[in-house]
Amino acid sequence: MSDSPESPAQKPVPNLNIANVLTTLRIFMVPFFVWALLADHQQYGWLRWVAFGLFALAIYTDKLDGDLARSRGLITNFGKIADPIADKLLTGSALVLFSVLGELPWWITVVILVREWGITLMRFVVIRYGVMAASKGGKLKTVLQAVAILLYLLPWTHTVAWLGFVAVAVMWLALAVTLVTGIDYLIKAWQLRAQHLANPGSKA
């Protein structure tokens, strides 16, 4: 019999924790962001600054809740589902509104949204074969999308020519990385499925 004490059973992580609260807060911020952006009526005044601030704050909570969940062991099934949904609602609403306002071509919005929601759905479907961790390319995509949206939200972008050029360039770069990483995830999903079919008892 071993003299070492038995390790206590790991307690389940409650859904009501600071990381999940921040994720939920991000979801509740979306309608206020939408209202501020539409209420500005493309005057690029203080309401546009409010929309900019809300989006910037929401993006910060996205990083913060992820850091807290990992460092404090607060990862829950609710968080795994709610976090990507919150991200897609935030970025998706921004892109759709840009297109509604005529600031971004609809085809760019559609391509990005189809990729984002499609890959998110696919990751839930293939979880039976294994977990698809976020790649470095996926993280770069997220950063580029956030920077592009912030630049489009910035009132000065629509009055200063060079800022407008930078915003368009970053959005195109974000679109390219979004497509490339989407293809990469499709390949990884196919490989996971093929591995599972070859070794039914294994799971990555």
Side-chain angles (χ1 to χ4, degrees):
M1 183 175 180
S2 173
D3 293 331
S4 60
E6 294 182 1
S7 59
Q10 185 175 3
K11 295 181 180 179
V13 179
N15 284 325
L16 185 58
N17 60 63
I18 183 62
N20 287 345
V21 168
L22 289 172
T23 298
T24 305
L25 176 63
R26 193 158 68 256
I27 294 175
F28 280 111
M29 289 173 67
V30 172
F32 294 100
F33 163 74
V34 170
W35 171 81
L37 188 54
L38 289 177
D40 177 69
H41 299 295
Q42 290 184 293
Q43 296 300 307
Y44 308 114
W46 70 272
L47 283 173
R48 187 83 177 204
W49 281 109
V50 170
F52 176 89
L54 286 172
F55 188 88
L57 179 61
I59 288 297
Y60 175 71
T61 65
D62 181 28
K63 180 181 184 304
L64 183 60
D65 66 24
D67 291 343
L68 289 172
R70 287 185 293 270
S71 64
R72 300 188 180 184
L74 300 177
I75 298 175
T76 62
N77 288 331
F78 171 82
K80 291 178 182 178
I81 296 173
D83 187 68
I85 290 176
D87 297 342
K88 302 302 181 288
L89 285 176
L90 182 64
T91 58
S93 62
L95 294 171
V96 168
L97 289 177
F98 290 152
S99 294
V100 168
L101 295 171
E103 298 176 11
L104 184 69
W106 270 107
W107 72 267
I108 293 181
T109 295
V110 171
V111 168
I112 292 179
L113 292 186
V114 168
R115 184 275 188 206
E116 291 295 294
W117 286 101
I119 295 299
T120 298
L121 178 61
M122 183 197 69
R123 292 176 76 171
F124 283 123
V125 171
V126 302
I127 199 169
R128 71 186 72 174
Y129 308 131
V131 177
M132 292 175 57
S135 64
K136 291 182 179 180
K139 294 176 181 178
L140 175 62
K141 176 268 304 180
T142 300
V143 171
L144 287 172
Q145 286 184 3
V147 172
I149 291 173
L150 284 170
L151 285 170
Y152 269 74
L153 286 171
L154 190 66
W156 297 333
T157 298
H158 305 274
T159 56
V160 180
W162 70 268
L163 266 177
F165 175 81
V166 172
V168 172
V170 175
M171 182 62 77
W172 275 93
L173 183 58
L175 174 64
V177 176
T178 297
L179 289 174
V180 171
T181 55
I183 294 172
D184 181 57
Y185 279 127
L186 288 174
I187 294 173
K188 288 180 178 177
W190 181 85
Q191 291 173 338
L192 276 175
R193 181 176 182 276
Q195 180 182 353
H196 176 78
L197 293 177
N199 303 284
S202 67
K203 185 173 181 179

